[in-house]
Amino acid sequence: MCAEVRKIRSPFHEFAFGFNVIVDLIEPGTRVLDLGCGTGTLLQRLRDEKNVEVCGVEVDQEKVIRAIERGIRILRFDLDEGLDDFPDRSYDYVVLSRTLQQLMNPGRVVREMLRIGAKSIITFPNFGHWKIAAQYLLRGRMPLHTTHPHPWHRTPDIHPLTIEDFRDFINRVGGKIEHEIHIIGDRPRTQIFWANRRAEWGCCLVSAA
Amino acid sequence: MPVIPIKEYADSDGLYGRVQQQYAHFDGITLESGVFLGPLTVAYETYGQLSPNKDNAILVLHALSGDAHVAGIDENGRLGWWDAMIGPGKGIDTNRYFVICSNCLGGCKGTTGPPSINPETSRPYGRQFPLITIGDMVRVQAMLVEHLGIERLHNVIGGSMGGMQALEWSVRFPDKVRSAVVIAATARLSPQGIAFNWVGRNAIYCDPIRCSDGSDRKDACEDTGRGLAVARMIGHITYLSEETMEAKFGRKLRLKDMDGYLYSLGENGVERGEFEVESYLRHQGSSFVQRFDEDSYIVITKAIDYFDLEKETGELSEAFKGVQAKILVISFSSDWLYPTSMSMAIVRALLKVHKDVSFIELDLPYGHDSFLVNAGIPSMTRIVRGFLQGVR
């Protein structure tokens, strides 16, 4: 029996709500690079709503074609093969939305982000959520949750992490968290009690330390 | 304008209808080598209507063996070489855009080239035709564009040698192109590419001398053309992929009852070729001889060999500093002649100098020729249509 969670991703991913948090963090008229941009949904919003100059990076061919059809500037690159070609400080913001946990070498990618962008925005599903911990603790099985919907043998999320982990990680790669947003049930919150156990998603504005 | 639905999947169906080749005449051009070449004729075709503001023109650039007949049906009933891509409702929509395609300088399809008459000798130039460059070809195209009253092109697009020209356009005439689509191309031909061209030309040189003495081509020995056929066969192998060859021909024999011992061993310099791949190549070679000029082949491959945007500046990104066009680079995963790494080098250099570049590698199995294969047209259509719409 496959106990895979039906819904592919929590609503945080969906157009209407999910990207609002990121869109709100970005100043109008700036330059934004979105790593793992998919079909360019976020970039299209930024371009249309905030007059942002956009560029995306995506590895999936079909998604890249879809983004080009939308008139989004995009590069079919594999993030894990590096971003050396982007000059230092060539973007105001570099976005890595729900992709961090899927990277082969997250440290290298985030270091590159800090070099390329003045600011970086990183969102990731929080593996520290109490329901996930409870599943593992009580059932002794790899957890399945709306934020982590794939069984262990088929998940693209090869590097699950918690909010605490992320704080350490950013320190380690030479960054500084400027602003931390926690998402619980579709609502963005800041400075909540016990974030590491209660937040479903983390969304952080990061800059080079 | 009639309303024709957007086609998801385009075919080579001649939808644009009849087209007539046209000619533009110029006094001449001083080539990059310093030699003056003139008078000059440029053969071209156009499709669609030029807008009142003259801002909807797209110049299509053909590859080594192409010509000006890119879409529609010509007087001989022949379909254009990229008909699946260009026409009403197709990827390059002739209801929206004014599409121009010209035969390149040095060609043999109406534009001045080796088969043209040299005014000094009143005979064809043949191998006396001066050395030309990709830059010269592009300058002649620019003369045509100006002749048509267009100041700025909406887009230049081409594959292989056409992709080189699209890059050259963006570098040489930055204020004359709003965007460029560079398909299966490179900013400098690889030594491997030079090597294949060298072998091809040498096959041609093995033929009995045809007209180096300026004698009339009509008296030429019947044997001429075999070298060109060999050159074309070599070229054709480089345009395909191993995967396509396996799928298309495998080890199939042309004659079903062939027991493997009845093959001919090249008696009198002729081998029939039992394998399907052999007979396919032989057909490609012999039909090419009918439609192409061997001296054009020499002149054009030389121009391709010498194409190197890095040469002057030492670094590609330096050459791209002045580029203003939005650029889309497309490569094919199975292309081993102009592999993705060469397209990536273009992309990298453009990124380095903060240019607006998009890039996609398409996973298509048909090798270098993927952009011409109809099975690749649906994705190419979506990409090119989307990109062109995004250009303002």
Side-chain angles (χ1 to χ4, degrees):
Chain A
M1 195 189 75
C2 174
E4 197 165 348
V5 175
R6 265 273 173 78
K7 215 184 322 176
I8 302 296
R9 284 292 189 197
S10 88
F12 175 68
H13 280 112
E14 281 160 21
F15 181 81
F17 170 77
F19 290 136
N20 286 346
V21 180
I22 300 173
V23 172
D24 287 345
L25 284 171
I26 289 171
E27 294 288 327
T30 49
R31 289 168 54 85
V32 175
L33 176 67
D34 185 0
L35 304 178
C37 67
T39 59
T41 310
L42 172 67
L43 292 175
Q44 190 176 23
R45 279 194 60 183
L46 287 170
R47 183 189 65 189
D48 298 345
E49 294 172 23
K50 293 213 155 173
N51 190 29
V52 160
E53 191 186 324
V54 300
C55 180
V57 172
E58 173 60 47
V59 73
D60 183 272
Q61 170 179 299
E62 183 51 35
K63 287 177 181 162
V64 173
I65 295 177
R66 187 71 203 98
I68 294 175
E69 282 186 299
R70 289 172 137 172
I72 300 291
R73 182 184 157 206
I74 190 165
L75 299 155
R76 188 180 180 200
F77 284 169
D78 184 346
L79 291 179
D80 279 318
E81 279 170 19
L83 298 160
D84 320 356
D85 308 321
F86 290 93
D88 297 357
R89 288 282 172 276
S90 46
Y91 285 88
D92 297 306
Y93 300 92
V94 184
V95 177
L96 185 70
S97 176
R98 77 221 192 208
T99 307
L100 179 68
Q101 77 285 357
Q102 299 180 353
L103 296 173
M104 209 59 181
N105 194 341
R108 178 170 160 202
V109 172
V110 173
R111 266 186 218 104
E112 288 282 60
M113 289 175 72
L114 297 174
R115 175 183 68 76
I116 297 163
K119 297 219 156 61
S120 293
I121 298 169
I122 303 175
T123 70
F124 57 94
N126 176 25
F127 201 71
H129 194 272
W130 68 269
K131 281 186 185 162
I132 291 177
Q135 271 192 51
Y136 171 69
L137 191 68
L138 302 177
R139 295 179 52 223
R141 298 292 196 93
M142 283 303 286
L144 290 168
H145 189 61
T146 49
T147 56
H148 293 84
H150 307 286
W152 65 271
H153 51 89
R154 222 185 326 157
T155 181
D157 302 333
I158 52 172
H159 288 133
L161 74 160
T162 71
I163 287 173
E164 286 288 359
D165 289 331
F166 185 75
R167 292 172 185 153
D168 287 351
F169 169 77
I170 288 300
N171 247 330
R172 195 180 294 264
V173 297
K176 186 175 83 202
I177 299 179
E178 294 197 351
H179 188 47
E180 206 176 292
I181 298 167
H182 307 115
I183 288 114
I184 309 176
D186 282 6
R187 227 164 305 151
R189 318 264 290 261
T190 49
Q191 297 181 332
I192 59 165
F193 168 68
W194 229 32
N196 196 43
R197 289 302 186 186
R198 289 173 62 213
E200 287 170 337
W201 294 85
C203 174
C204 299
L205 185 70
V206 182
S207 62
Chain B
M1 211 176 276
V3 180
I4 292 171
I6 296 288
K7 286 174 72 103
E8 281 298 322
Y9 187 117
D11 295 308
S12 294
D13 52 9
L15 192 61
Y16 187 80
R18 293 271 159 194
V19 276
Q20 189 87 43
Q21 188 154 295
Q22 302 169 69
Y23 298 91
H25 301 280
F26 304 96
D27 293 341
I29 182 175
T30 303
L31 302 168
E32 277 184 32
S33 62
V35 173
F36 180 81
L37 178 68
L40 205 59
T41 302
V42 178
Y44 69 99
E45 291 184 7
T46 66
Y47 317 82
Q49 296 296 321
L50 187 59
S51 64
N53 298 334
K54 301 185 173 183
D55 59 357
N56 68 334
I58 294 179
L59 180 67
V60 182
L61 308 157
H62 67 73
L64 169 56
S65 63
D67 54 28
H69 181 47
V70 65
I73 306 160
D74 71 5
E75 50 259 51
N76 304 318
R78 204 169 52 96
L79 287 173
W81 57 267
W82 220 13
D83 186 77
M85 195 68 185
I86 299 166
K90 294 186 181 180
I92 299 175
D93 188 347
T94 48
N95 288 335
R96 296 181 65 143
Y97 302 112
F98 177 64
V99 181
I100 310 159
C101 185
S102 66
N103 184 212
C104 71
L105 179 68
C108 53
K109 301 297 177 67
T111 294
T112 302
S116 308
I117 300 296
N118 180 350
E120 278 171 27
T121 61
S122 304
R123 290 176 183 281
Y125 284 99
R127 289 183 199 172
Q128 261 90 56
F129 196 79
L131 261 186
I132 54 168
T133 62
I134 298 288
D136 290 328
M137 295 178 184
V138 164
R139 281 162 61 222
V140 170
Q141 289 157 0
M143 288 161 73
L144 173 67
V145 168
E146 196 180 325
H147 168 80
L148 296 171
I150 297 156
E151 271 177 32
R152 202 158 180 226
L153 292 162
H154 182 74
N155 178 263
V156 289
I157 177 169
S160 197
M161 181 178 85
M164 292 174 168
Q165 291 171 355
L167 270 184
E168 180 81 31
W169 261 97
S170 319
V171 170
R172 195 178 277 264
F173 300 113
D175 51 347
K176 288 189 176 176
V177 273
R178 260 193 294 273
S179 66
V181 181
V182 178
I183 306 165
T186 173
R188 52 191 278 276
L189 191 68
S190 65
Q192 192 189 37
I194 295 171
F196 279 118
N197 283 345
W198 164 249
V199 175
R201 282 195 303 273
N202 270 279
I204 294 171
Y205 301 146
C206 287
D207 270 346
I209 290 169
R210 189 173 63 173
C211 54
S212 61
D213 59 348
S215 69
D216 195 79
R217 310 182 147 225
K218 295 279 186 294
D219 317 330
C221 170
E222 271 180 24
D223 267 355
T224 56
R226 288 187 65 184
L228 181 62
V230 172
R232 179 60 172 174
M233 289 194 273
I234 295 164
H236 219 86
I237 295 168
T238 66
Y239 307 149
L240 299 178
S241 67
E242 199 264 344
E243 194 183 341
T244 320
M245 282 208 183
E246 186 70 52
K248 217 169 169 176
F249 316 110
R251 289 183 52 82
K252 279 193 295 262
L253 295 169
R254 199 160 46 91
L255 302 169
K256 297 277 184 300
D257 55 351
M258 184 76 78
D259 64 8
Y261 293 96
L262 291 171
Y263 48 81
S264 55
L265 287 174
E267 260 178 282
N268 307 320
V270 181
E271 187 195 317
R272 276 183 311 179
E274 297 82 30
F275 287 99
E276 280 206 353
V277 63
E278 294 172 333
S279 88
Y280 171 82
L281 287 175
R282 192 178 55 189
H283 171 74
Q284 290 296 329
S286 59
S287 64
F288 192 63
V289 173
Q290 304 302 315
R291 68 180 177 92
F292 213 78
D293 180 84
E294 61 182 37
D295 299 329
S296 276
Y297 195 90
I298 293 170
V299 162
I300 296 173
T301 54
K302 281 301 255 188
I304 294 173
D305 287 357
Y306 275 100
F307 184 64
D308 181 2
L309 287 177
E310 276 179 43
K311 196 176 61 191
E312 262 175 49
T313 51
E315 201 167 333
L316 191 52
S317 52
E318 285 294 313
F320 287 151
K321 271 211 163 129
V323 169
Q324 292 176 30
K326 245 176 104 122
I327 295 186
L328 169 63
V329 177
I330 304 174
S331 72
F332 302 109
S333 53
S334 55
D335 184 352
W336 54 275
L337 187 63
Y338 292 44
T340 292
S341 58
M342 291 182 191
S343 289
M344 285 281 278
I346 298 170
V347 174
R348 270 199 202 106
L350 284 165
L351 276 178
K352 208 169 177 182
V353 284
H354 304 267
K355 299 301 172 187
D356 184 332
V357 57
S358 287
F359 166 67
I360 182 166
E361 179 196 43
L362 281 176
D363 300 324
L364 286 172
Y366 316 106
H368 182 59
D369 265 357
S370 289
F371 67 101
L372 297 172
V373 176
N374 273 13
I377 292 291
S379 37
M380 290 288 296
T381 297
R382 292 173 60 196
I383 292 166
V384 170
R385 177 190 290 143
F387 180 75
L388 291 177
Q389 279 170 2
V391 175
R392 272 164 256 262

